[in-house]
Amino acid sequence: MHLDVQDLRNFYYRSTLGRAAQASIRSRLLQMWPDAMGQTMAGFGFAAPLMRPYLPEARRVVALMPGPQGVMQWPAGLPNVSVLCEETRWPLDTGRVDRLLVMHGLETSDHPAKLLEECWRVLGPGGRAIFVVPNRAGLWSRSDKTPFGYGRPYTLGQLESQLRAHQFTTERHAAALYQLPSMRRFWLKSGPAIEKMGRQLPTVLAGGVFLVEVSKQIHQPRGLATKVKARSRIRVLEGLSNPMPKPA
């Protein structure tokens, strides 16, 4: 079940808790991907809040928003790069994306297997993807006051197994959103300190979301190759001027 784009926009851009969540996840993302110089970057779901730092340096940035969710113009004050698309058929050529970011896309998808196939299709050789999903054991997945309380939360093992089954290789993972999903002023003010302390804990035990970076597996062709020997063009031409007798 996809969330409505208006609810996502109001959370990330108009609420104090949403802006804190955006800052926490974006900070972790920038540690994993410090830049995207000259690369083509795509985001699916509602990844737009995380991609703004890459706009000045990336060759191209596109925000793909699924039809059931809806689309909004993004980024504000700049030419629009957001696109409304089908969940499992993106308006991108095969192998053209260098960096792919998926947030509020996989856990809310009605067709996760086909979605992962589409992710694999658009990534080019050497391409990388980061999937941001709610942690099943975290507090954020248990609260329906945030977008991470909807859809299917994952354990780290579940997510990595699903990605591996669709020909992705896990490169590394991280966690974010250590503060409580509370609108109370005390917890909001304590958020930065809690985030700092939380990053010292093991990934599987803390954090409201996982960030898993994967690369695209490309297998070599299997089976025996048969080499076809082409007919000599010179011999054919010789036969026209000096026909050779056919064997009896």
Side-chain angles (χ1 to χ4, degrees):
M1 179 189 70
H2 287 280
L3 297 171
D4 186 84
V5 69
Q6 299 296 335
D7 295 332
L8 290 166
R9 181 179 66 177
N10 291 339
F11 176 75
Y12 281 107
Y13 292 103
R14 297 179 181 177
S15 73
T16 304
L17 182 62
R19 288 192 292 268
Q22 179 184 158
S24 174
I25 303 173
R26 182 191 290 177
S27 174
R28 207 58 156 168
L29 175 65
L30 289 173
Q31 289 181 351
M32 301 174 77
W33 288 351
D35 61 73
M37 184 68 66
Q39 296 184 326
T40 296
M41 186 173 193
F44 176 78
F46 198 74
L50 307 183
M51 296 195 296
R52 193 176 185 97
Y54 302 103
L55 286 171
E57 58 190 24
R59 185 172 67 89
R60 183 186 180 192
V61 174
V62 57
L64 303 165
M65 301 189 184
Q69 169 190 291
V71 67
M72 71 175 192
Q73 184 176 349
W74 183 84
L78 294 173
N80 179 63
V81 297
S82 63
V83 179
L84 185 68
C85 67
E86 295 184 36
E87 185 180 20
T88 58
R89 294 186 65 184
W90 300 350
L92 297 174
D93 292 335
T94 299
R96 290 300 182 89
V97 174
D98 301 304
R99 300 285 177 89
L100 175 63
L101 180 62
V102 179
M103 185 170 77
H104 299 309
L106 181 60
E107 74 274 13
T108 58
S109 173
D110 295 327
H111 309 283
K114 292 183 178 180
L115 174 59
L116 290 174
E117 290 174 3
E118 190 69 356
C119 293
W120 193 92
R121 181 187 69 82
V122 301
L123 278 177
R128 297 290 181 100
I130 288 182
F131 292 86
V132 183
V133 299
N135 178 5
R136 181 181 293 275
L139 296 177
W140 287 73
S141 66
R142 306 176 190 180
S143 172
D144 57 7
K145 295 181 181 180
T146 79
F148 297 102
Y150 296 85
R152 300 175 302 276
Y154 287 85
T155 66
L156 186 59
Q158 288 172 340
L159 179 58
E160 291 182 342
S161 295
Q162 188 170 5
L163 295 172
R164 185 167 56 250
H166 288 81
Q167 302 183 61
F168 289 106
T169 300
T170 301
E171 300 294 340
R172 53 181 168 167
H173 50 70
L177 289 186
Y178 299 95
Q179 68 183 81
L180 297 180
S182 172
M183 300 287 186
R184 294 185 178 182
R185 181 176 299 179
F186 172 79
W187 294 115
L188 291 173
K189 287 186 176 180
S190 304
I194 297 175
E195 290 287 332
K196 186 176 181 180
M197 291 187 295
R199 293 184 180 183
Q200 307 302 319
L201 299 175
T203 301
V204 296
L205 298 179
V209 299
F210 292 126
L211 292 84
V212 177
E213 182 184 20
V214 298
S215 59
K216 178 178 180 178
Q217 293 180 7
I218 301 179
H219 299 290
Q220 294 182 353
R222 296 180 179 179
L224 298 176
T226 302
K227 185 176 181 180
V228 179
K229 186 176 181 180
R231 295 181 63 184
S232 172
R233 295 182 181 179
I234 297 178
R235 190 172 185 84
V236 173
L237 293 176
E238 287 177 349
L240 293 177
S241 59
N242 186 20
M244 298 181 65
K246 295 181 180 181

